[in-house]
Every structure is written in C-alpha cells, then in structure tokens.
Amino acid sequence: MAVVAGQPTATPEPENPLTAGLERLPVAPTTLVIFGATGDLAKRKLLPAIYNLAHEGALPERFQLVGVSRGKKTNEEYRVECEQAIRQFSRRTPDEDVLKGLLEQVKYVTGTFDDDAAYTALGKVLDDFEKQAGEPLNRAFYLATAPSFFPVIVEELGRSELARHEHADVRVIIEKPFGTSLAEARELNRRVLAIFDESQVFRIDHYLGKETVQNMLAFRFANGMFEPLWNRNYIDSVQITAAEDIGIGTRAGFYDHTGALRDLIQNHMLQLLCHVAMEPPVNFAAEEVRNEKVKVLLSIPEPTAVEIPDLAVRAQYAAGHAGGEDVPGYLEEPGVPEDSTTETYAALRLEVDNWRWAGVPFYLRTGKRLARKITEIAVTLKPVPHLAFSQDGSLGVQPNQLVLTLQPNEGVSLRLGAKIPGTRMIIRPVNMEFLYGTSFLSQSPEAYERLITDAMRGDATLFTRNDEVEAQWRICDPIVTAWAQTPGPLPKYEAGSQGPAEAEQLLREGHHWRAI
Ligand code: BG6
C-alpha cells in the first residue's frame, strides 16, 4: 500500500460491539404519501423538512411525494402550494434547482379519507411510479390528519391492499395525539395492528427528533463522569420544564379538548423523563432503547384519586402582558367556551420507583403564556455533607446543578461552587457552560427531518412503540379523569408570568421552581 508522506497511516478502528450491526441503513427508493397534505402540519413542518432533506441529498435517489386531501386540485396547483409552504417555512432559503427537482416528483390525489375511490386512485399513482421506475418502491403513509381519521385511513389502506407489498416495505407514520385516553390509545393500537405489523408502525413524538433530546443519551452514556452520580444516592431532585410564551392562537378547536397534560406531558415530557431515568441500553437498536423507556414508565406508580390533589396542579392563563403587548386570558380567546375548564398549565410530581430512583421527586411543568419559551431539564445534586468554611464562606454554597437546555440556546450548564477572588474564603455559584451553537457552529436540523428519514429507513428508535404509548397513558389517564370530575373554575396565572402560585404546593421542603 502506498503511504503518502506526512500522513499517518490509518489503523483500522476496532469494531465496537455496541454499534456493530447498527450502521445507518440507506434510504431505499420510496414514495411518501401525506394524508392531510394541505393542513398546517404538512405546510409548516413536513414539506419544509422534505425540502431540506432534498437540499442535503438525504432523500433516496428515487423519491416521489403524493399529497392526499379533500380539496379538489390538480398536480400543478398542489405543487404551487408546496412551493409556497417551502419558501415560507423552510429553515434555509431554497436553492431553485433543488426545489424545482423536488416539485417535479410531487403528485396530488383528491379524496375524502373514507372514500374507497380515493384509495383506488392512490393505488394507481403508486403503481405508475413503480412502472416508470422499473423497480418496486417502498411506501410510507404519513397520517398528518385530524386524529379521528387515523383508524379510518389505516383500515382503508388495509381494505385497498395498500398496506402490504410483495417486494417492498410499507410503513405508516402516525402523528400525535395517539388517543386521548388509555382506552382510546388501546383501541387505536388494536385497529392499527389489525392491519399493520408493529414493525411497520412509526408513532411520532417530535421531541424525539430534536438534536438536544438525542444528545441527552450521548451526554449520559458517552461520559463516564455522570453515570456514577446518576442515582438516588447523589441526586436530590429532577425538574423538567416545557414553558411556552405563546397562547393557543387559533387552535381552540383542538386545544380546548386537549389541555396541557395531554398535549405535552403525556408524550413529550414523559419522553424527556425517560431519557433522564432510563438504564443504559445494551445497544442503540430500537427495541433495546424502547424496552428501557417502557421499564421507566412502568416504574412510575399510577396516581390514585386520593393522591392526585397532592401531586398534580392545573391552571389557566388570565389576561396579562406577553411579547410586549397586552394579551387576553384563555377564556377570552376566540373559540374557547367561557366556562371552559381546560388547563393551559399542568405540573406534576412523579416518582420512579426502582433501585436507581426511589424517593427522588421528578417535577414536570408545562404551560402556555408563561414568561418565555424554554425547555430544560435541571438535575439537582444533594448538598455536600459538611461545610468546612467559615459562616460567611459557606453562605454562597449551593448544591451542584446540571441543566440541560433543549431550546432555545441549546446547551448544558453545570453549577459549581467557586471561591470569589480576594483574601477571604467566600464561595459563590458559577456556571460551566457548553453551548451547541458555539461548539458546533452549525444549525441543528428540524426534528421532522430526522424523523422522516428514519421512518423511510425503517429505524424505529425515535418512535413510540405500542406498549410505550399505553404506558404513558397509564400515568396520565387517572389525572385526566380526576380533573374531569372536579368542577371549575381553575386557578389562574397571569399571562407572561411564572405560572400559578398553586404549583408551589407540589414541591417538597427546600425545593423551588426554577425561574422561567
Ligand atoms: C406540540 C403541541 O406537540 O408541541 C403544541 O401540540 C406545542 O401545543 C408544541 O406548542 C411544542 O413544540 P416545540 O417543538 O415548539 O417545543
């Protein structure tokens, strides 16, 4: 072998047993079908994500996109809508050639989701693509519709024999919410799994596609220094916050039947909790990772009716000041009934009853119209056992706290005690920071970019499994039921504030909510 002067010879990397066999599979030629192709999700998230994948050359060489929706329109009209959505919502300014190339692959099928004829037309489009390609194409059906259509579409796909292909893989991607209760989630799983095999089903929780959520696993399992401390002996409490400054905007129709607990805690926030609490998986294969998450969820005791007032708080935003302007309260938002008891804020105190975590409170809170948008996980360590400093010196000593900020300003910060320069031993907290933006100097992809390619690739690691989604509902369902039985009005918090005073009652002695 010729060796180029000055360059080190490459020594072959020893095979890592943890990653062996887990290489990223290439994305096979695929037709992606979006049901709900003219809806908000398709326009704001899916189409821009698909464009960005095209921009990065991350789509398969042969890729076709079919939009299915009720509105009657031609392929050309739908292409114009796609173009507008991409120009408006893509994270990068589109490259004209890439955009043109992508739009050429787009087709549109008109039809209501329960109309057999729409599926016949869709089947024909899919067959035509294959004829042109001269090879079988994988099919990925993305259900980006109102949730009531999920079982209808799945059953129609089954009936029209589009759910199976003799020579290619067929997958179905299902948006959230996956049911609005444990019973509904079970029923939906039953209906979906009557048509598709679990290995074909990709349930979306877009938080799992966020770079920073994936980084939590890297952070925990690629660094030796945290794991020995990562348990009840050293950790005092965990606080997970998903605060938003926006109100419900025009989403009253959806939100008033959903509320903060179902909208964010049942899915996104319980996933974050799992990432903090799970055991190291044997490897990062989908089943191994999801097995560990399910174990965490099953270790959380199901809240009983008697316990709920002590471990769950809900509230609604009242008028206030946000983003530099006066904003209405939830009950004054357009489309919200004036006696609505839907919570726009929810906070819980949960415990993970296992060897690693028994006794450590996990505080979760989320809300609309809070002081700012921030998603973070704060892990507070126990105080040091003895302070040898003088009275003055000890005053500024605080327990170490590790804060993982998922958005915005993604990063990790570690609170340490340090001596203030000077002749006396006086301590104060300082932060050691890692910021994604400055360390990597690159823009993180949108969660949907990662999720769409993973689903087309058949990698389910970042998707919620049937038992996982049911285990999440198992925790939230009793709270939803108890709240539905307790009459309003709900406690209020001012828009733009830190949330309701009632949230304090969840905290154990000496604990505080972090400032939002
Ligand atoms: C969605 C909820 O799942 O997540 C929305 O339905 C919420 O109500 C959104 O605003 C928050 O997502 P992100 O990525 O902005 O944190």
Side-chain angles (χ1 to χ4, degrees):
M1 187 176 75
V3 177
V4 181
Q7 292 207 347
T9 44
T11 330
E13 292 266 333
E15 189 175 44
N16 179 346
L18 287 183
T19 52
L22 294 177
E23 299 78 22
R24 302 276 285 161
L25 305 166
V27 190
T30 301
T31 305
L32 178 66
V33 180
I34 303 181
F35 288 91
T38 53
D40 232 37
L41 180 71
K43 285 188 177 156
R44 286 171 184 273
K45 298 286 182 191
L46 307 184
L47 292 165
I50 292 165
Y51 167 76
N52 280 291
L53 292 172
H55 189 105
E56 277 158 18
L59 289 178
E61 224 173 278
R62 191 168 274 281
F63 174 79
Q64 315 281 348
L65 180 69
V66 185
V68 183
S69 198
R70 236 174 332 190
K72 211 169 163 30
K73 57 186 92 213
T74 60
N75 288 333
E76 206 34 62
E77 283 164 342
Y78 183 56
R79 284 183 191 138
V80 172
E81 280 185 26
C82 291
E83 182 180 344
Q84 280 165 354
I86 291 168
R87 289 198 192 279
Q88 189 177 353
F89 297 113
S90 162
R91 67 184 167 90
R92 38 160 92 84
T93 312
D95 173 287
E96 296 305 322
D97 290 340
V98 176
L99 183 57
K100 187 164 168 277
L102 176 65
L103 293 173
E104 277 165 11
Q105 312 307 320
V106 174
K107 287 227 160 129
Y108 183 79
V109 172
T110 305
T112 51
F113 303 127
D114 57 355
D115 174 12
D116 295 356
Y119 295 83
T120 312
L122 175 62
K124 179 155 183 338
V125 171
L126 297 177
D127 289 345
D128 286 351
F129 281 151
E130 295 200 354
K131 275 190 205 123
Q132 281 163 27
E135 60 174 333
L137 301 178
N138 283 354
R139 295 168 183 181
F141 296 108
Y142 199 122
L143 312 195
T145 62
S148 54
F149 292 117
F150 297 164
V152 177
I153 299 171
V154 163
E155 283 162 7
E156 282 283 356
L157 289 171
R159 194 204 49 76
S160 55
E161 296 185 357
L162 293 173
R164 303 254 179 264
H165 191 305
E166 244 181 284
H167 305 292
D169 292 322
V170 182
R171 301 184 173 114
V172 62
I173 306 164
I174 305 181
E175 258 300 328
K176 73 174 268 276
F178 198 88
T180 62
S181 64
L182 177 58
E184 264 190 35
R186 280 194 181 135
E187 175 62 7
L188 184 54
N189 270 330
R190 189 190 64 72
R191 289 174 75 176
V192 170
L193 296 175
I195 307 289
F196 290 97
D197 184 75
E198 176 63 29
S199 62
Q200 296 178 280
V201 184
F202 294 75
R203 296 175 193 76
I204 291 262
D205 180 321
H206 80 278
Y207 267 47
L208 295 180
K210 287 183 190 279
E211 278 291 322
T212 38
V213 174
Q214 293 162 48
N215 189 44
M216 287 171 68
L217 298 184
F219 191 76
R220 280 193 59 200
F221 303 132
N223 295 291
M225 66 186 291
F226 299 109
E227 198 48 29
L229 307 176
W230 212 255
N231 57 57
R232 63 191 304 277
N233 298 327
Y234 296 94
I235 291 180
D236 175 65
S237 63
V238 176
Q239 201 176 112
I240 307 182
T241 301
E244 294 185 278
D245 51 355
I246 51 169
I248 56 139
T250 53
R251 297 171 78 214
F254 160 76
Y255 198 86
D256 200 58
H257 291 108
T258 306
L261 183 71
R262 289 195 261 220
D263 192 32
L264 263 102
I265 294 190
Q266 184 274 336
N267 34 64
H268 309 326
M269 296 193 77
L270 286 179
Q271 284 292 336
L272 297 182
L273 183 153
C274 287
H275 280 66
V276 175
M278 70 195 258
E279 295 300 317
V282 247
N283 62 34
F284 279 91
E287 294 321 318
E288 301 298 345
V289 171
R290 299 190 300 177
N291 286 345
E292 295 306 338
K293 288 197 287 174
V294 171
K295 281 192 218 160
V296 172
L297 293 165
L298 295 179
S299 317
I300 299 176
E302 200 175 310
T304 62
V306 180
E307 290 165 340
I308 288 171
D310 179 49
L311 53 75
V313 163
R314 61 180 169 157
Q316 251 174 11
Y317 63 82
H321 200 72
E325 54 183 42
D326 290 334
V327 294
Y330 179 67
L331 297 181
E332 290 95 60
E333 296 278 16
V336 174
E338 59 186 28
D339 58 351
S340 167
T341 53
T342 300
E343 77 287 355
T344 60
Y345 177 100
L348 304 184
R349 187 187 66 243
L350 297 177
E351 284 195 23
V352 180
D353 258 349
N354 61 18
W355 271 73
R356 189 189 279 268
W357 294 112
V360 178
F362 282 74
Y363 300 112
L364 274 54
R365 69 179 158 163
T366 182
K368 301 274 184 206
R369 281 281 188 243
L370 291 169
R372 67 184 170 124
K373 166 117 180 150
I374 176 127
T375 311
E376 63 165 34
I377 297 165
V379 178
T380 307
L381 273 78
K382 291 193 167 159
V384 289
H386 171 67
L387 286 173
F389 314 107
S390 65
Q391 168 71 0
D392 275 1
S394 302
L395 286 179
V397 177
Q398 292 185 13
N400 297 124
Q401 190 173 57
L402 184 70
V403 180
L404 296 112
T405 308
L406 307 180
Q407 54 189 14
N409 305 328
E410 299 93 334
V412 181
S413 137
L414 177 60
R415 181 171 76 196
L416 303 166
K419 179 182 172 301
I420 299 178
T423 50
R424 290 161 59 204
M425 177 57 96
I426 300 186
I427 318 276
R428 63 153 245 222
V430 291
N431 285 333
M432 211 162 87
E433 312 256 6
F434 146 70
L435 278 175
Y436 243 75
T438 42
S439 298
F440 294 115
L441 293 176
S442 70
Q443 198 187 29
S444 293
E446 281 273 336
Y448 279 97
E449 296 173 32
R450 174 71 193 265
L451 295 175
I452 290 170
T453 33
D454 277 11
M456 290 198 297
R457 188 179 270 125
D459 179 350
T461 316
L462 302 181
F463 296 84
T464 320
R465 203 167 59 190
N466 56 354
D467 51 342
E468 193 176 353
V469 89
E470 290 179 16
Q472 292 173 327
W473 275 118
R474 183 188 139 270
I475 298 161
C476 293
D477 217 38
I479 305 174
V480 172
T481 310
W483 283 353
Q485 288 163 356
T486 322
L490 264 48
K492 296 281 188 287
Y493 59 100
E494 198 181 319
S497 71
Q498 295 288 314
E502 285 77 359
E504 297 294 319
Q505 75 202 35
L506 296 183
L507 300 172
R508 297 231 174 104
E509 206 186 324
H511 292 168
H512 306 278
W513 289 113
R514 284 171 53 81
I516 290 175

